[in-house]
Amino acid sequence: MTKKLNLNYVIPVLVSFFVMSFCDLVGIGVDKVQRDFGLSNTLAQLIPSAVFIWFFILSVPVGIIQDRSGNETW
């Protein structure tokens, strides 16, 4: 018996990997942005902080939306 892969399970996982990889790239890119714009260390470190705060703020409403849509489609 073969099991079909349900895209309702796969898509949220793939999107979460995409978001976390974006957060990782922001952390790596801080050095280049700091050199290009001549930012101080303190100001440059606000960039990844802003991304992680943005991720934290959006994670709760998106989780609620996923919970509501999950209850309707099952």
Side-chain angles (χ1 to χ4, degrees):
M1 180 175 170
T2 60
K3 237 181 170 181
K4 284 184 111 177
L5 188 61
N6 192 350
L7 288 180
N8 291 334
Y9 293 124
V10 175
I11 291 175
V13 173
L14 293 177
V15 170
S16 65
F17 277 114
F18 175 74
V19 170
M20 288 310 296
S21 65
F22 175 73
C23 292
D24 289 340
L25 287 176
V26 168
I28 294 169
V30 167
D31 289 332
K32 186 169 182 151
V33 170
Q34 183 180 9
R35 279 181 277 151
D36 288 348
F37 292 105
L39 301 175
S40 67
N41 286 336
T42 305
L43 191 58
Q45 290 304 315
L46 288 176
I47 297 169
S49 299
V51 171
F52 287 117
I53 289 170
W54 163 74
F55 181 72
F56 176 73
I57 290 172
L58 287 180
S59 65
V60 173
V62 169
I64 293 170
I65 291 169
Q66 285 179 337
D67 184 47
R68 287 181 184 166
S69 67
N71 289 337
E72 293 171 5
T73 58
W74 303 114

